[in-house]
Amino acid sequence: MKSPLLSLPGAVPGEGPDEDVAAHYGDLFREQRALADGTGFVDLSHRGVVTVSGADRLSWLHLLLTQHVSELPPGQATEALILSAHGHIEHALYLVDDGETTWAHVEPDSQRDLIAYLESMKFFYRVDIADRTDEYAVVHLPAGSITEAPEDAVVRETPHGRDLFLPRERLTAFAEESGPPIGVLAYEALRVEAHRPRVGLETDHRTIPHELGWIGSAVHLQKGCYRGQETVARVQNLGKPPRRLVFLHLDGSEVTLPTHGAPIRLASEGEEGRQLGFITSSARHHELGPIALALVKRNVPVDADLIADSTAAAQETVVEP
């Protein structure tokens, strides 16, 4: 769903999954600094919004999700995954319950597949599942923001800021009252800096939660069974994941950033060496310069110098080998 805020002065459309919102409004680094300082807002209205209501909503979701949500208090934010039968990540849900309804935002255009799965698992439970994307837009207020959330918004508060589920017809008025607007590139740069994975970028068809550091934050190890739980338990108790997420400082002399999927190799082997992983997200940070997240084989030495395509990269450990 294309955002009406793309009509604001200076708005440049995003790319890939973020093409329906603004990448920036004319000054990427100024927008990053504002976001880091707790001012402005980010238009995330392209994200899918799904609600689950009904008396059994939390106990039912508890059976399906990787997170412990059966006793989720109203207003407490959490995140959870839905896995395949083999433990591969299919969806990430960013959740809050308002006491009557559980709200979740998900990756753009993924809500239809998510709802199809949830509907197939309803059975006799007293739950109602709805796609609310046409009615509600997600807006992000950074940590430290003093902007007040509208009374008709549902608020999901995290250490990184507040996600508002805002009635979509209020989006333009909210932008006028709560500026400056900040593009999604600034939001993504701070996400990469914080090592926070994103489905569809940090994941492929075989990614398991351990590879991305989602154990604990999105996967509860002491809850009951759910689809894919056997893989989670086996890797946790008996082995190691085949790959691991790393944070990269990229050579700042390069004009372009390595794109999603760019191969990672040992610098000592050069551009013809064995591929050991790939870039998942890259960004230009207002303080750190060019940075990236990458998924590499577990046995890559943590102190090894790497190259992404032809760009030199120094790694920091996110997930221990």
Side-chain angles (χ1 to χ4, degrees):
M1 183 171 292
K2 194 170 292 293
S3 172
L5 303 190
L6 283 171
S7 64
L8 292 178
V12 175
E15 298 179 351
D18 300 324
E19 64 182 0
D20 288 334
V21 294
H24 60 84
Y25 296 89
D27 193 335
L28 173 61
F29 291 147
R30 178 190 61 78
E31 293 170 30
Q32 278 190 38
R33 287 191 290 269
L35 194 63
D37 290 341
T39 59
F41 72 93
V42 184
D43 175 15
L44 298 177
S45 61
H46 61 318
R47 291 185 64 81
V49 176
V50 175
T51 61
V52 181
S53 57
D56 295 335
R57 67 188 184 283
L58 291 177
S59 59
W60 176 72
L61 285 168
H62 186 79
L63 299 174
L64 305 178
L65 304 180
T66 58
Q67 187 59 271
H68 196 300
V69 297
S70 61
E71 299 169 1
L72 185 66
Q76 180 175 309
T78 192
E79 56 188 74
L81 308 176
I82 288 180
L83 307 180
S84 73
H86 298 291
H88 302 137
I89 297 168
E90 293 188 345
H91 297 280
L93 291 76
Y94 300 87
L95 300 157
V96 70
D97 192 87
D98 65 9
E100 296 181 352
T101 300
T102 302
W103 296 74
H105 65 80
V106 297
E107 288 298 320
D109 297 325
S110 69
Q111 68 271 16
R112 297 174 187 85
D113 289 342
L114 171 62
I115 289 173
Y117 171 67
L118 295 177
E119 288 284 355
S120 74
M121 302 299 291
K122 281 179 66 172
F123 303 118
F124 56 86
Y125 289 95
R126 296 170 296 171
V127 294
D128 292 302
I129 306 153
D131 183 350
R132 309 294 293 277
T133 310
D134 290 344
E135 303 168 66
Y136 284 85
V138 180
V139 174
H140 176 77
L141 296 174
S145 171
I146 60 173
T147 298
E148 293 188 6
E151 292 184 359
D152 53 354
V154 177
V155 180
R156 178 179 179 271
E157 186 163 1
T158 77
H160 304 287
R162 287 172 288 162
D163 297 335
L164 309 184
F165 295 88
L166 183 73
R168 192 168 285 275
E169 69 270 12
R170 293 269 292 112
L171 181 58
T172 301
F174 179 85
E176 294 172 352
E177 300 163 359
S178 309
I182 292 170
V184 73
L185 283 183
Y187 179 84
E188 283 290 286
L190 299 190
R191 177 186 70 81
V192 172
E193 178 193 16
H195 310 160
R196 290 185 286 139
R198 182 176 173 186
V199 167
L201 294 178
E202 275 62 57
T203 66
D204 58 19
H205 66 283
R206 58 192 180 96
T207 308
I208 61 175
H210 305 74
E211 295 177 325
L212 302 183
W214 249 327
I215 301 300
S217 62
V219 178
H220 195 288
L221 294 175
Q222 276 74 52
K223 62 159 289 186
C225 292
Y226 51 87
R227 191 174 69 171
Q229 188 263 346
E230 294 86 355
T231 297
V232 171
R234 183 169 62 251
V235 174
Q236 184 69 22
N237 296 322
L238 300 176
K240 295 282 189 178
R243 301 177 298 180
R244 60 185 180 88
L245 189 69
V246 297
F247 177 76
L248 300 178
H249 293 274
L250 302 173
D251 180 0
S253 66
E254 298 287 344
V255 175
T256 60
L257 291 171
T259 59
H260 174 79
I264 298 289
R265 297 180 171 91
L266 291 176
S268 60
E269 296 185 0
E271 297 177 40
E272 303 303 318
R274 297 165 298 146
Q275 181 171 343
L276 302 175
F278 63 94
I279 292 287
T280 59
S281 299
S282 59
R284 294 193 183 278
H285 192 276
H286 69 287
E287 291 181 339
L288 300 177
I291 56 176
L293 293 173
L295 203 57
V296 301
K297 292 182 178 180
R298 178 172 58 87
N299 60 1
V300 173
V302 296
D303 57 352
D305 292 327
L306 306 174
I307 54 171
D309 272 344
S310 59
T311 302
Q315 61 172 312
E316 289 184 10
T317 300
V318 177
V319 174
E320 294 290 338

